[in-house]
Each structure stands twice: as C-alpha cells, then as structure tokens.
Amino acid sequence: MSKVLEVKDLRVSFDTYAGEVQAVRGVSFELEEGEVLAVVGESGCGKSVSAQTIMKLNPMPPARIKGGEITLNGKDIVSATEKEMREIRGKDVSMIFQDPMTCLNPTMQIGKQLVEAIKNHQKLSKEEAVKEAIRLLDLVRIPNPEQRIKQYPHEFSGGMRQRVMIAMALSCAPKLLIADEPTTALDVTIQAQIMELLKEIKEKTNTAIILITHDLGVVASMADRVAVMYAGKVVETGSVKDIFYNSSHPYTKALLKSLPTTDMERTTRLVSIPGTPPDLLNPPVGCGFASRCDNCMKICHEEQPEEFEVDKEHTASCWLLHPDCPSSQVGGDK
C-alpha cells in the first residue's frame, strides 16, 4: 500500500482578543491507501482543526500554522497557495461535514450542485457531468436518482442529505476522504446505514478515510487504526484491538470505562472523568491530563511525556510507561 497522507509535528494556533489559543500542539500521524484512521477525543481537543488544516479550511487569520509538515499524495500542503489548494480540494482530498443542511445550497437543485462540483475538477460536458451525478447518487444508494436529481435539499430527509454530501465528496474520486462526525445530526438507524455506506464505498474505491467521531462503537466496527487526542495532542495511537483491549494511556482507559456495556447492572453508575480539559490559551507545561489523572506523579506536572512504544505500531505518551517509573509511584500524589 502507498502512503496517502503524512502529518509531522503539526502546530496550529488561533490569535484571539484574549490571546493565542494553541489548538493543535504537535500532532503526527500517517495514513495508507484504503486505510481508515479514527480520531477520537472530547470536544475541543483539536480533532476538527487538525483535519481542516489538511484542506486549509481554517480561516487565516485568525488561524495560523505555527509549524510542522503535511504531505498529501506527495504535495506539500503547508506551503501551498490558495490557487493550488483549489486544485487539491476535491481532487486529492474531500470532506464530509457534520450538518449537510448548512453545506447544501437550499436554493439550488441537488443535481446542479453535484454537476458544479464535478465540472470544477473534471473536463466533462454538461451531459456527461449529469450522467456522473446520477451514477454517484446511485452509488450512495439514493433511489430513483434520475428523478431525485431535480429536487431541492428540503425535499430530502437528513440521512438522504448526508448521502448527497458523500456523493459530492466522492465526485472527483479523492485519494483521501475526511468524515467529520458525519452521523451527529442523524438518528441511530440512519447512523448505522451511513457508516455501512462509507465502509462499502471504501471497499469499492480503496479511498483512505479519516473518521472524526465521539462514538467508540462506530470506531470498533469501521476503523483500522485509532488516534486518541487530548488537549491538542495525540496521546495514544494503535490498532482498534490495541486501543480497546490493551489501552495504555489513562485518558484512553477513562474514555472506555465511561461506556455502558450490555452486561452492566442496572444500578451500576457510569464512570465519569472528573475535572475539565486544560485552557489552551495557557496550556500546561507537563501532561495535559495530569490534573484529571488518578495516577499522576510529580513529573507529570513538570514535563511533557515522551512517546513510548507499547507494542509494534502502538504508542502512548505517558510517564507511567517510562522504564524507570517505579510501580510504587502509581496512584501517588497529584
């Protein structure tokens, strides 16, 4: 498999009236052709900012890329101009956003919006573009695409609108598809259908997918690898099996403990993570999770933890994994 995306030490800040918000603080990951990488973590941890920076969708200013590298299909994204990015968006990378109703033009027929997206990147006549739009609607399993192509967004259900957004994202056969919480606004049944559709499309087109989600059930059923983010950093990465059955960072463990299980007693209370995430206007010197961690040690407040190898292709950034960490300190004073 060839490497589609490589992100190294990415740092993104937002300049606000209150000061510099360090939204992404040294994120690194890579993605192979046909692979699904799930990015998980609580709201505000930098998931969407990292993904949108790959397409340079964050408005600059107030956003600015402070450092790092992004290589997409061999192209340097960080130094790319807006004109170059217009060529890259859609053709090399596309994005499915959370709420399709805010992304579709309510005054234009679905077909016209799809044809416009197709003609922007492919040298096709209007008739050929219409045929391609119908094919894409059929690919995302919208019934009677020949008739529905003439309808407006308000004539589609939420699930059908999300299917249209997926069709639009696939219109130029991108190598990378970013799905930013694509099922957030949908009910459970439709969520399952959309995720099944994405899985089916990945198998047909061999498109690499970055899946941003809060739903660990979706991660378990669809992802190949998982990156857990907290306070603008990736704190643990590994295969789905590694993350679910051999999680090594206290934050990942806490996330998994907060999930209900089928064998849980009715009287059992769900575990919650105490405290709040750190303020990224003034991020902590040490580990971002230190103030909420039951296993916090003195060094956790003083230095950023290194990235330790737990197993092959499984890493975590936690001082508890340091070979010199004495077991007697686990659970010590905060």
Side-chain angles (χ1 to χ4, degrees):
M1 290 192 295
S2 60
K3 195 175 290 184
V4 174
L5 175 72
E6 191 170 10
V7 177
K8 289 183 180 178
D9 194 29
L10 179 65
R11 285 170 282 130
V12 182
S13 287
F14 289 83
D15 294 313
T16 70
Y17 291 113
E20 178 191 350
V21 178
Q22 299 177 41
V24 177
R25 306 187 297 139
V27 164
S28 299
F29 59 84
E30 55 187 44
L31 200 58
E32 303 281 347
E33 195 175 74
E35 187 178 28
V36 178
L37 172 69
V39 183
V40 302
E42 58 197 86
S43 297
C45 69
K47 305 186 300 293
S48 294
V49 173
S50 299
Q52 288 175 3
T53 305
I54 295 168
M55 295 183 71
K56 277 196 168 177
L57 291 178
N58 298 311
M60 299 184 188
R64 59 186 167 94
I65 300 174
K66 287 181 66 180
E69 301 173 18
I70 303 173
T71 307
L72 176 65
N73 281 343
K75 298 168 185 172
D76 181 7
I77 298 298
V78 173
S79 62
T81 63
E82 181 55 31
K83 184 179 178 181
E84 290 169 334
M85 286 307 302
R86 281 197 292 268
E87 288 292 317
I88 291 168
R89 293 183 196 120
K91 188 176 180 181
D92 291 297
V93 55
S94 288
M95 194 164 193
I96 305 167
F97 295 94
Q98 291 184 36
D99 187 359
M101 201 57 190
T102 60
C103 300
L104 293 169
N105 188 332
T107 67
M108 283 178 68
Q109 292 176 346
I110 291 296
K112 285 186 179 179
Q113 296 186 57
L114 269 169
V115 166
E116 188 179 272
I118 292 164
K119 290 183 74 177
N120 276 342
H121 292 281
Q122 298 187 48
K123 294 179 180 178
L124 297 177
S125 66
K126 186 179 178 181
E127 291 75 18
E128 290 171 328
V130 170
K131 285 181 181 177
E132 178 64 9
I134 291 170
R135 185 190 73 80
L136 287 166
L137 290 182
D138 186 55
L139 177 68
V140 297
R141 290 186 277 168
I142 289 181
N144 306 315
E146 295 86 356
Q147 284 76 45
R148 304 219 69 174
I149 204 170
K150 299 171 186 175
Q151 295 181 321
Y152 291 87
H154 71 270
E155 298 179 84
F156 286 70
S157 67
M160 286 297 178
R161 284 196 293 266
Q162 193 61 286
R163 289 169 191 265
V164 171
M165 287 300 301
I166 295 170
M168 203 172 285
L170 294 170
S171 61
C172 300
K175 295 288 185 183
L176 172 63
L177 184 63
I178 301 172
D180 188 358
E181 299 186 41
T183 60
T184 297
L186 307 175
D187 63 51
V188 177
T189 307
I190 304 300
Q191 281 181 23
Q193 292 175 6
I194 293 296
M195 297 317 299
E196 190 60 37
L197 176 61
L198 282 174
K199 193 186 295 184
E200 192 178 297
I201 286 167
K202 186 209 83 165
E203 290 169 359
K204 285 181 180 178
T205 62
N206 206 32
T207 303
I209 298 175
I210 294 177
L211 176 63
I212 299 170
T213 182
H214 290 283
D215 191 335
L216 293 176
V218 167
V219 172
S221 66
M222 185 169 176
D224 298 306
R225 287 191 301 116
V226 184
V228 182
M229 286 192 69
Y230 185 81
K233 286 180 168 287
V234 174
V235 296
E236 186 166 5
T237 56
S239 67
V240 170
K241 188 176 179 180
D242 289 333
I243 298 301
F244 279 84
Y245 298 105
N246 189 31
S247 55
S248 298
H249 195 282
Y251 176 62
T252 310
K253 292 179 179 180
L255 278 182
L256 293 170
K257 285 179 182 176
S258 68
L259 292 175
T261 59
T262 53
D263 58 351
M264 185 179 285
E265 296 288 337
R266 291 181 65 184
T267 55
T268 304
R269 293 176 65 89
L270 286 175
V271 176
S272 62
I273 305 173
T276 57
D279 183 359
L280 296 184
L281 273 167
N282 186 27
V285 176
C287 174
F289 192 61
S291 62
R292 307 173 75 183
C293 181
D294 292 333
N295 299 320
C296 181
M297 302 176 289
K298 185 180 178 183
I299 193 173
C300 300
H301 290 291
E302 297 172 347
E303 289 184 42
Q304 288 284 348
E306 304 168 24
E307 187 177 77
F308 297 99
E309 187 174 298
V310 181
D311 205 345
K312 186 181 178 182
E313 297 184 354
H314 180 197
T315 61
S317 299
C318 180
W319 286 118
L320 293 171
L321 299 172
H322 194 285
D324 294 334
C325 174
S327 58
S328 58
Q329 288 193 22
V330 177
D333 294 334
K334 291 188 178 181

